[in-house]
Amino acid sequence: MNPFEVLGFSPGYDIAADQLARRHRELSKVLHPDKFTGSGGGERREALSRAVEVNEAFRILRDPVRRAEAIFSLSGIAVGETNEPKASPDFLMEAMEQREALEDAKASGDTAAVRALGDGIAAQTTRVVEELGQGFASAQGDAEKLRALLPLLGKLRYARRFQEELEALLEES
Amino acid sequence: MAYSEKVIEHAENPRNVGTLDKNDPNVGTGLVGAPACGDVMRLQIKVGDDGIIQDARFKTFGCGSAIASSSLATEWIKGKTLDEAEAIKNDRIVEELNLPPVKIHCSVLAEDAIKTAIADYRSKQAARKAAETK
């Protein structure tokens, strides 16, 4: 499935969230089962399966990680841990420092420090999303240039994972 | 998934957790991992003038198997020469800890960490020698 096609977007990383939500709403309305009560079984099933596709496409496109994965896959570039390049030393260093800072904050019960780490990682996510947007735009489908963007996908996954951990921690406290 | 007894033992009582001074010319640092999957591993060695690993420390964020693999690695490399330590293969870690197939990558990380730490130590020594002969 090409999620961009399903929701009527041209393939690209920068998609406005409100526009995406609107398109999803419109299509869901058109495909709603209530609109097909008088139709034949075939048509009803068809509408239902399209509605399922629309929902799945929406979930993919609103998620920055899955949206990037979709663009890579559509360009024939395999994603996933074993297909992506190893983390760079700088990235590893950064991740190690953040992990250690979190460990210290946990040990001392310093909620403010956890929050500060969360703010830092949120800013990091925004930066990586911007970089990816620019990268995808300037790559224009060139496989070599696209491959060079794979490390950013790894960073985005890491940032999201770390953020989720921080949020879970803050909920507990 | 159940962890083997040895993994639990190492994960609950990890050996050699800590940090060595990464700026010490006799210390080699190996930083490896897949942060996107939650694994980051740092393994450090302190090498004597006789070329024998005197001390080893690690710090690992990840699952129990990753912690156990690096803990075991530090135990094994202490007292070994660099060449001996470098020859340690991940299958030996898999065997010792009874790691299941889905956790083999943890042992690969540990092997990688040993090799990266040794390479770091060697490049530091080479840089020092080059500076001395200038």
Side-chain angles (χ1 to χ4, degrees):
Chain A
M1 178 192 60
N2 179 337
F4 297 96
E5 218 172 73
V6 170
L7 292 179
F9 285 99
S10 53
Y13 196 62
D14 293 321
I15 289 180
D18 53 344
Q19 211 183 339
L20 178 64
R22 196 173 342 121
R23 196 68 60 82
H24 176 239
R25 224 171 20 243
E26 285 164 5
L27 284 169
S28 300
K29 213 189 273 176
V30 173
L31 296 168
H32 196 277
D34 288 354
K35 301 249 153 102
F36 294 87
T37 44
S39 318
E43 214 178 319
R44 229 173 22 230
R45 270 194 299 278
E46 162 84 29
L48 186 64
S49 79
R50 273 209 64 207
V52 169
E53 251 187 16
V54 162
N55 285 333
E56 176 60 7
F58 176 60
R59 277 193 292 270
I60 293 173
L61 294 192
R62 77 173 166 185
D63 176 341
V65 171
R66 296 186 69 191
R67 191 164 71 241
E69 286 174 344
I71 298 178
F72 283 121
S73 300
L74 289 170
S75 315
I77 293 170
V79 290
E81 198 195 341
T82 49
N83 295 306
E84 291 169 28
K86 277 189 185 177
S88 72
D90 285 347
F91 177 29
L92 284 167
M93 189 89 83
E94 193 183 4
M96 194 60 162
E97 279 167 5
Q98 283 172 340
R99 289 266 150 211
E100 287 186 313
L102 175 59
E103 194 184 47
D104 290 347
K106 268 198 219 165
S108 56
D110 189 346
T111 320
V114 177
R115 251 179 251 285
L117 270 170
D119 292 345
I121 207 90
Q124 204 171 311
T125 303
T126 309
R127 254 195 327 272
V128 177
V129 167
E130 273 172 18
E131 265 183 80
L132 267 175
Q134 287 160 5
F136 279 127
S138 67
Q140 299 197 332
D142 181 272
E144 221 32 60
K145 285 186 187 156
L146 284 172
R147 243 183 278 279
L149 298 175
L150 281 172
L152 289 172
L153 180 58
K155 279 193 186 174
L156 200 56
R157 287 210 186 96
Y158 160 75
R160 183 168 66 174
R161 197 188 174 103
F162 197 61
Q163 181 112 47
E164 282 171 359
E165 213 178 303
L166 294 175
E167 278 163 13
L169 206 65
L170 286 170
E171 257 169 48
E172 275 171 32
S173 63
Chain B
M1 182 196 49
Y3 282 124
S4 76
E5 268 174 45
K6 278 177 178 163
V7 169
I8 293 170
E9 213 276 305
H10 269 280
E12 283 179 352
N13 309 294
R15 331 288 202 262
N16 309 311
V17 173
T19 321
L20 298 170
D21 176 11
K22 69 175 195 292
N23 297 316
D24 181 338
N26 291 319
V27 169
T29 302
L31 194 55
V32 299
C37 308
D39 297 322
V40 208
M41 184 182 285
R42 182 180 60 215
L43 189 147
Q44 295 181 297
I45 51 170
K46 190 176 172 70
V47 185
D49 295 332
D50 51 4
I52 288 180
I53 297 171
Q54 293 172 334
D55 203 359
R57 290 273 187 276
F58 85 95
K59 187 73 182 277
T60 294
F61 294 95
C63 66
S65 300
I67 294 167
S69 296
S70 35
S71 169
L72 180 67
T74 55
E75 268 196 327
W76 275 355
I77 60 178
K78 269 203 220 179
K80 285 202 165 61
T81 66
L82 292 176
D83 289 342
E84 285 165 353
E86 211 173 17
I88 292 173
K89 288 269 171 284
N90 80 293
D91 348 339
R92 282 188 50 205
I93 297 172
V94 172
E95 213 174 296
E96 175 72 18
L97 295 175
N98 287 319
L99 294 181
V102 292
K103 292 294 177 184
I104 286 176
H105 70 275
C106 298
S107 69
V108 174
L109 275 187
E111 180 189 326
D112 209 16
I114 297 174
K115 291 192 160 70
T116 312
I118 292 173
D120 179 53
Y121 168 78
R122 284 189 171 138
S123 79
K124 269 183 178 177
Q125 293 296 313
R128 192 161 70 160
K129 267 191 199 120
E132 273 167 12
T133 53
K134 252 180 206 161

